[in-house]
Amino acid sequence: MNTTQHEHHSWAEPYKIKMVELLRMTTREERLAAIREAGYNTFLTRSRDVYIDLLTDSGTSAMSDRQWAGMMRGDEAYSGSENFYHLESAVREYYGYRHVVPTHQGRGAENLMSKILIREGDYVPGNMYFTTTRLHQEMAGGTFVDVIVDEAHDPQDRFPFKGNVDLDKLDELVREVGADRVPYISLEGNVNMAGGQPFSMANLRLLRGYCDKHGIPIILDATRTVENSWFIREREDGYSSTPLRAILREICDMTDGCTMSAKKDALVNIGGFFACNDGDVFLKAKNLAVVYEGLHTYGGLAGRDMEAMAQGIRESVTEEHMAARIGQVRYLGRKLEAAGVPIVEPIGSHAIFIDARRFLPHIDQEQYPAQSLAAELFIESGIRSMERGNVSAGRDPVTGRNRQPKLELVRLTIPRRVYTQAHMDVVAEAVIDLYRRREEIRGLKMVYEPEYLRFFQARFEPL
Ligand SMILES: Cc1ncc(COP(=O)(O)O)c(C=O)c1O
């Protein structure tokens, strides 16, 4: 697949820069004051205090001139906006589902889906949890059950498809509770919490066969499924010359519907959708949308947002875009690997995940090593990252104890089309400097814990 101009290996960006956003550099003292003010939680820091923002790849992409031009064509009618029909046709063309309900972002779609499909006492298997997805499943009365392959829980295991579903684990659940207590399987593309790790088409095919036998629908979390498609092409036999968009369609065609946070793959600052093939599920989703999102032809979005999303979907499946996306993340990852910094392997698509257990072996997991490392990186350099470990995993609703996940990670998440290679060099230097003085880093104690999704708003103090 030709994704470079001269058949060289470079992943140079397939765009040039027309407008820039100025960054503010800060002193160490300023950053220390800022993180204290924020309770050592990078989510609570102010963006003006951040130099390079790797908090998330969600809604932080740079839109193209075509997307911005589309925003000027926003049809801000309450009902039946032309932009909705553009979005619907882009979803049908690239994702292939018949019915589409726009939502304000991914969790809006998760809310609709969970309320429609889950009954009190159901079990929802998934290839590792995602924070908002699992919470909506639990709030609808379901219990999430992790059925991802064991390799996903080991940051050093280089298995190429760590997002795969372990069919034995799934079968064990189905035998134990009965297929009628399993409303669907939640299948995430490029599993975020595992380090941005893909499932394979072969695994999905087996899963489809199993689910057909037991009458269980597959609902895809399509948030990063174009990125998953890239890895299938790169790593799976038989796909090396299949276009990305054909791989994406093949995945979607084997599933029954999806929830989508368009703030990732689809290159927009806000937006999402729920999509499905079943007419009854669609009717229910349309109806619930008016309760939680807005009329089913805008779902909490302005017309211009839907236009940007329709265009973003088209751009996201281009070969050259994804080559640069993956290339940039790898560039950073390889620099850290070369310096011996422990990161999740293989390098995923949207972020580099630092393994805080190995980075800070002297800090007990109950003292939140990943949270502490993220705070320290901010103090060191003004680079904002986020914790994906004990804090994000939350408490077990039955025992009330910290879940203590095997993965205790700091996520350096790369926004799409935003930073340059020189920024990646700065990030690598900062992390490597911190690694050299890692013994000086101490743990944290949590001093405020909110009820839901605590990682967003919890506060900490140094020990
Ligand atoms: C895999 C995955 N699913 C769902 C969501 C939720 O989407 P949103 O933040 O748009 O509500 C996110 C992002 O936060 C995600 O990474």
Side-chain angles (χ1 to χ4, degrees):
M1 199 72 42
N2 178 18
T3 50
T4 57
Q5 182 70 23
H6 295 295
E7 301 289 341
H8 288 304
H9 299 299
S10 162
W11 49 267
E13 294 82 353
Y15 51 82
K16 58 184 178 173
I17 296 165
K18 175 141 57 181
M19 186 192 277
V20 297
E21 182 178 337
L22 300 181
L23 299 175
R24 190 167 84 94
M25 304 218 187
T26 50
T27 63
R28 191 183 169 83
E29 287 66 38
E30 285 170 329
R31 296 192 293 268
L32 195 54
I35 198 78
R36 279 193 189 130
E37 179 75 19
Y40 289 80
N41 185 346
T42 49
F43 274 105
L44 301 178
T45 52
R46 293 178 65 149
S47 129
R48 64 162 201 195
D49 295 327
V50 175
Y51 174 39
I52 298 176
D53 200 354
L54 307 186
L55 184 71
T56 174
D57 63 332
S58 181
T60 52
S61 298
M63 293 208 295
S64 68
D65 50 355
R66 289 176 207 184
Q67 284 178 290
W68 281 108
M71 301 242 346
M72 292 306 291
R73 295 182 56 216
D75 171 5
E76 307 306 343
Y78 189 90
S79 159
S81 160
E82 197 53 20
N83 311 120
F84 164 73
Y85 296 101
H86 294 170
L87 172 64
E88 185 187 54
S89 76
V91 174
R92 283 184 176 156
E93 183 177 349
Y94 293 97
Y95 290 82
Y97 302 110
R98 274 196 286 283
H99 309 297
V100 185
V101 178
T103 57
H104 73 284
Q105 57 183 75
R107 71 199 71 181
E110 290 167 355
N111 179 37
L112 303 184
M113 177 188 65
S114 304
K115 284 203 160 66
I116 293 165
L117 296 180
I118 300 171
R119 292 165 306 156
E120 188 73 38
D122 279 351
Y123 292 85
V124 188
N127 55 344
M128 203 172 262
Y129 80 102
F130 184 71
T131 53
T132 57
T133 322
R134 182 176 65 189
L135 182 63
H136 280 296
Q137 291 162 355
E138 288 172 353
M139 289 173 81
T143 301
F144 171 82
V145 182
D146 187 7
V147 294
I148 203 166
V149 292
D150 285 340
E151 289 90 335
H153 293 281
D154 177 357
Q156 287 170 277
D157 195 310
R158 298 192 61 91
F159 184 56
F161 292 108
K162 288 165 94 173
N164 278 357
V165 171
D166 183 327
L167 286 147
D168 291 336
K169 288 185 192 169
L170 176 61
D171 190 47
E172 200 178 305
L173 173 73
V174 171
R175 280 168 193 273
E176 195 184 315
V177 304
D180 58 333
R181 294 268 62 167
V182 180
Y184 63 94
I185 171 157
S186 179
L187 179 75
E188 185 187 329
N190 253 29
V191 182
N192 190 353
M193 303 299 288
Q197 304 293 331
F199 57 73
S200 69
M201 199 72 89
N203 184 254
L204 175 55
R205 226 171 271 127
L206 287 174
L207 180 67
R208 181 74 266 175
Y210 181 89
C211 288
D212 283 345
K213 210 166 97 200
H214 294 273
I216 300 171
I218 304 174
I219 301 291
L220 179 69
D221 181 337
T223 299
R224 296 186 186 83
T225 303
V226 187
E227 292 179 359
N228 196 120
S229 305
W230 177 274
F231 287 129
I232 287 178
R233 201 191 33 235
E234 200 174 65
R235 299 176 187 171
E236 192 161 352
D237 284 347
Y239 288 92
S240 61
S241 52
T242 312
L244 264 188
R245 54 180 290 187
I247 300 177
L248 178 67
R249 267 306 287 273
E250 191 175 336
I251 292 172
C252 295
D253 287 353
M254 275 195 276
T255 67
D256 299 281
C258 82
T259 56
M260 173 73 172
S261 170
K263 299 169 73 175
K264 285 82 167 175
D265 266 357
L267 296 162
V268 285
N269 303 126
I270 194 72
F273 56 82
F274 173 72
C276 63
N277 294 325
D278 183 290
D280 287 340
V281 172
F282 174 53
L283 274 183
K284 287 182 186 157
K286 266 208 304 196
N287 192 220
L288 263 189
V290 293
V291 182
Y292 293 103
E293 301 289 322
L295 191 69
H296 58 276
T297 55
Y298 75 83
L301 297 168
R304 54 182 174 270
D305 299 326
M306 292 188 283
E307 192 62 35
M309 207 192 315
Q311 175 62 22
I313 289 171
R314 291 177 204 289
E315 291 175 18
S316 73
V317 295
T318 60
E319 309 291 333
E320 58 276 15
H321 162 67
M322 203 49 78
R325 165 75 177 145
I326 305 274
Q328 186 177 45
V329 174
R330 263 183 206 162
Y331 175 81
L332 173 61
R334 288 193 176 136
K335 284 204 140 202
L336 295 179
E337 272 173 344
V341 176
I343 61 171
V344 173
E345 308 279 357
I347 294 169
S349 62
H350 68 301
I352 298 302
F353 290 74
I354 302 174
D355 183 355
R357 277 177 190 271
R358 281 186 292 149
F359 199 110
L360 301 172
H362 55 286
I363 301 182
D364 186 88
Q365 197 174 18
E366 285 299 299
Q367 297 173 356
Y368 309 111
Q371 186 76 28
S372 178
L373 183 53
E376 202 63 35
L377 181 62
F378 177 79
I379 298 166
E380 170 84 22
S381 60
I383 294 164
R384 181 158 68 168
S385 59
M386 81 149 87
E387 189 261 14
R388 279 302 184 215
N390 204 0
V391 185
S392 294
R395 291 180 188 276
D396 184 304
V398 179
T399 65
R401 292 212 192 93
N402 278 337
R403 282 187 167 106
Q404 295 202 314
K406 289 200 179 118
L407 298 178
E408 179 71 27
L409 311 173
V410 172
R411 192 178 79 175
L412 304 167
T413 340
I414 316 298
R416 296 164 184 80
R417 311 194 288 206
V418 171
Y419 290 112
T420 65
Q421 188 159 322
H423 286 120
M424 296 301 111
D425 290 339
V426 172
V427 174
E429 284 161 18
V431 173
I432 292 163
D433 283 349
L434 213 51
Y435 189 55
R436 292 202 182 111
R437 61 170 190 82
R438 58 192 178 276
E439 285 88 7
E440 295 166 24
I441 301 173
R442 295 281 157 267
L444 297 168
K445 67 171 183 226
M446 201 186 291
V447 292
Y448 166 66
E449 180 174 358
E451 188 176 353
Y452 302 113
L453 301 174
R454 65 184 186 179
F455 58 95
F456 282 127
Q457 291 155 342
R459 299 184 69 86
F460 302 82
E461 279 173 8
L463 282 167

PDB file of all heavy atoms in Angstrom, residues 84-95:
ATOM      1  N   PHE A  84     -27.390  16.146   9.006  1.00  0.00           N
ATOM      2  CA  PHE A  84     -27.677  14.802   9.537  1.00  0.00           C
ATOM      3  C   PHE A  84     -27.642  13.785   8.401  1.00  0.00           C
ATOM      4  O   PHE A  84     -27.070  12.704   8.536  1.00  0.00           O
ATOM      5  CB  PHE A  84     -29.045  14.752  10.243  1.00  0.00           C
ATOM      6  CG  PHE A  84     -29.505  13.337  10.446  1.00  0.00           C
ATOM      7  CD1 PHE A  84     -28.909  12.528  11.411  1.00  0.00           C
ATOM      8  CD2 PHE A  84     -30.492  12.776   9.631  1.00  0.00           C
ATOM      9  CE1 PHE A  84     -29.289  11.198  11.572  1.00  0.00           C
ATOM     10  CE2 PHE A  84     -30.874  11.450   9.791  1.00  0.00           C
ATOM     11  CZ  PHE A  84     -30.276  10.664  10.763  1.00  0.00           C
ATOM     12  N   TYR A  85     -28.230  14.137   7.265  1.00  0.00           N
ATOM     13  CA  TYR A  85     -28.271  13.179   6.150  1.00  0.00           C
ATOM     14  C   TYR A  85     -26.875  12.941   5.579  1.00  0.00           C
ATOM     15  O   TYR A  85     -26.564  11.836   5.140  1.00  0.00           O
ATOM     16  CB  TYR A  85     -29.285  13.640   5.086  1.00  0.00           C
ATOM     17  CG  TYR A  85     -30.680  13.641   5.693  1.00  0.00           C
ATOM     18  CD1 TYR A  85     -31.276  14.821   6.131  1.00  0.00           C
ATOM     19  CD2 TYR A  85     -31.350  12.440   5.913  1.00  0.00           C
ATOM     20  CE1 TYR A  85     -32.527  14.804   6.744  1.00  0.00           C
ATOM     21  CE2 TYR A  85     -32.600  12.421   6.532  1.00  0.00           C
ATOM     22  CZ  TYR A  85     -33.178  13.603   6.951  1.00  0.00           C
ATOM     23  OH  TYR A  85     -34.387  13.566   7.569  1.00  0.00           O
ATOM     24  N   HIS A  86     -26.020  13.963   5.634  1.00  0.00           N
ATOM     25  CA  HIS A  86     -24.627  13.739   5.204  1.00  0.00           C
ATOM     26  C   HIS A  86     -23.933  12.759   6.150  1.00  0.00           C
ATOM     27  O   HIS A  86     -23.192  11.878   5.731  1.00  0.00           O
ATOM     28  CB  HIS A  86     -23.851  15.067   5.191  1.00  0.00           C
ATOM     29  CG  HIS A  86     -24.346  16.037   4.177  1.00  0.00           C
ATOM     30  ND1 HIS A  86     -23.929  17.341   4.130  1.00  0.00           N
ATOM     31  CD2 HIS A  86     -25.236  15.906   3.157  1.00  0.00           C
ATOM     32  CE1 HIS A  86     -24.530  17.968   3.129  1.00  0.00           C
ATOM     33  NE2 HIS A  86     -25.334  17.121   2.535  1.00  0.00           N
ATOM     34  N   LEU A  87     -24.183  12.961   7.456  1.00  0.00           N
ATOM     35  CA  LEU A  87     -23.578  12.065   8.444  1.00  0.00           C
ATOM     36  C   LEU A  87     -24.101  10.641   8.265  1.00  0.00           C
ATOM     37  O   LEU A  87     -23.314   9.677   8.218  1.00  0.00           O
ATOM     38  CB  LEU A  87     -23.891  12.565   9.866  1.00  0.00           C
ATOM     39  CG  LEU A  87     -23.481  11.610  10.982  1.00  0.00           C
ATOM     40  CD1 LEU A  87     -21.966  11.426  11.023  1.00  0.00           C
ATOM     41  CD2 LEU A  87     -23.975  12.120  12.343  1.00  0.00           C
ATOM     42  N   GLU A  88     -25.400  10.533   8.123  1.00  0.00           N
ATOM     43  CA  GLU A  88     -25.998   9.207   7.957  1.00  0.00           C
ATOM     44  C   GLU A  88     -25.398   8.503   6.749  1.00  0.00           C
ATOM     45  O   GLU A  88     -25.052   7.317   6.802  1.00  0.00           O
ATOM     46  CB  GLU A  88     -27.510   9.363   7.804  1.00  0.00           C
ATOM     47  CG  GLU A  88     -28.253   8.049   7.747  1.00  0.00           C
ATOM     48  CD  GLU A  88     -29.731   8.274   7.424  1.00  0.00           C
ATOM     49  OE1 GLU A  88     -30.041   8.933   6.395  1.00  0.00           O
ATOM     50  OE2 GLU A  88     -30.578   7.796   8.185  1.00  0.00           O
ATOM     51  N   SER A  89     -25.221   9.233   5.661  1.00  0.00           N
ATOM     52  CA  SER A  89     -24.697   8.536   4.478  1.00  0.00           C
ATOM     53  C   SER A  89     -23.218   8.195   4.642  1.00  0.00           C
ATOM     54  O   SER A  89     -22.766   7.154   4.162  1.00  0.00           O
ATOM     55  CB  SER A  89     -25.006   9.291   3.176  1.00  0.00           C
ATOM     56  OG  SER A  89     -24.159  10.388   3.060  1.00  0.00           O
ATOM     57  N   ALA A  90     -22.452   9.023   5.387  1.00  0.00           N
ATOM     58  CA  ALA A  90     -21.042   8.654   5.632  1.00  0.00           C
ATOM     59  C   ALA A  90     -20.967   7.398   6.511  1.00  0.00           C
ATOM     60  O   ALA A  90     -20.148   6.504   6.255  1.00  0.00           O
ATOM     61  CB  ALA A  90     -20.300   9.816   6.295  1.00  0.00           C
ATOM     62  N   VAL A  91     -21.816   7.331   7.543  1.00  0.00           N
ATOM     63  CA  VAL A  91     -21.796   6.142   8.412  1.00  0.00           C
ATOM     64  C   VAL A  91     -22.206   4.918   7.598  1.00  0.00           C
ATOM     65  O   VAL A  91     -21.569   3.856   7.676  1.00  0.00           O
ATOM     66  CB  VAL A  91     -22.721   6.320   9.651  1.00  0.00           C
ATOM     67  CG1 VAL A  91     -22.804   5.029  10.449  1.00  0.00           C
ATOM     68  CG2 VAL A  91     -22.216   7.460  10.535  1.00  0.00           C
ATOM     69  N   ARG A  92     -23.239   5.065   6.782  1.00  0.00           N
ATOM     70  CA  ARG A  92     -23.676   3.912   5.974  1.00  0.00           C
ATOM     71  C   ARG A  92     -22.580   3.467   5.019  1.00  0.00           C
ATOM     72  O   ARG A  92     -22.344   2.279   4.842  1.00  0.00           O
ATOM     73  CB  ARG A  92     -24.927   4.281   5.175  1.00  0.00           C
ATOM     74  CG  ARG A  92     -26.164   4.274   6.046  1.00  0.00           C
ATOM     75  CD  ARG A  92     -27.407   4.555   5.221  1.00  0.00           C
ATOM     76  NE  ARG A  92     -28.595   4.443   6.049  1.00  0.00           N
ATOM     77  CZ  ARG A  92     -29.746   5.050   5.791  1.00  0.00           C
ATOM     78  NH1 ARG A  92     -29.863   5.805   4.710  1.00  0.00           N
ATOM     79  NH2 ARG A  92     -30.781   4.891   6.587  1.00  0.00           N
ATOM     80  N   GLU A  93     -21.906   4.433   4.423  1.00  0.00           N
ATOM     81  CA  GLU A  93     -20.890   4.088   3.425  1.00  0.00           C
ATOM     82  C   GLU A  93     -19.661   3.429   4.073  1.00  0.00           C
ATOM     83  O   GLU A  93     -19.171   2.412   3.597  1.00  0.00           O
ATOM     84  CB  GLU A  93     -20.458   5.358   2.674  1.00  0.00           C
ATOM     85  CG  GLU A  93     -19.463   5.082   1.564  1.00  0.00           C
ATOM     86  CD  GLU A  93     -19.109   6.347   0.787  1.00  0.00           C
ATOM     87  OE1 GLU A  93     -19.772   7.388   0.954  1.00  0.00           O
ATOM     88  OE2 GLU A  93     -18.124   6.278   0.021  1.00  0.00           O
ATOM     89  N   TYR A  94     -19.170   4.005   5.152  1.00  0.00           N
ATOM     90  CA  TYR A  94     -17.889   3.516   5.694  1.00  0.00           C
ATOM     91  C   TYR A  94     -18.060   2.481   6.800  1.00  0.00           C
ATOM     92  O   TYR A  94     -17.227   1.584   6.937  1.00  0.00           O
ATOM     93  CB  TYR A  94     -17.038   4.693   6.190  1.00  0.00           C
ATOM     94  CG  TYR A  94     -16.596   5.550   5.032  1.00  0.00           C
ATOM     95  CD1 TYR A  94     -17.290   6.706   4.688  1.00  0.00           C
ATOM     96  CD2 TYR A  94     -15.528   5.149   4.227  1.00  0.00           C
ATOM     97  CE1 TYR A  94     -16.917   7.466   3.593  1.00  0.00           C
ATOM     98  CE2 TYR A  94     -15.154   5.899   3.130  1.00  0.00           C
ATOM     99  CZ  TYR A  94     -15.842   7.052   2.817  1.00  0.00           C
ATOM    100  OH  TYR A  94     -15.470   7.788   1.716  1.00  0.00           O
ATOM    101  N   TYR A  95     -19.110   2.615   7.616  1.00  0.00           N
ATOM    102  CA  TYR A  95     -19.324   1.653   8.701  1.00  0.00           C
ATOM    103  C   TYR A  95     -20.371   0.605   8.314  1.00  0.00           C
ATOM    104  O   TYR A  95     -20.381  -0.487   8.875  1.00  0.00           O
ATOM    105  CB  TYR A  95     -19.708   2.376   9.998  1.00  0.00           C
ATOM    106  CG  TYR A  95     -18.533   3.149  10.588  1.00  0.00           C
ATOM    107  CD1 TYR A  95     -18.200   4.419  10.125  1.00  0.00           C
ATOM    108  CD2 TYR A  95     -17.723   2.575  11.574  1.00  0.00           C
ATOM    109  CE1 TYR A  95     -17.112   5.119  10.635  1.00  0.00           C
ATOM    110  CE2 TYR A  95     -16.639   3.259  12.093  1.00  0.00           C
ATOM    111  CZ  TYR A  95     -16.332   4.530  11.609  1.00  0.00           C
ATOM    112  OH  TYR A  95     -15.245   5.203  12.125  1.00  0.00           O
TER     113      TYR A  95
END
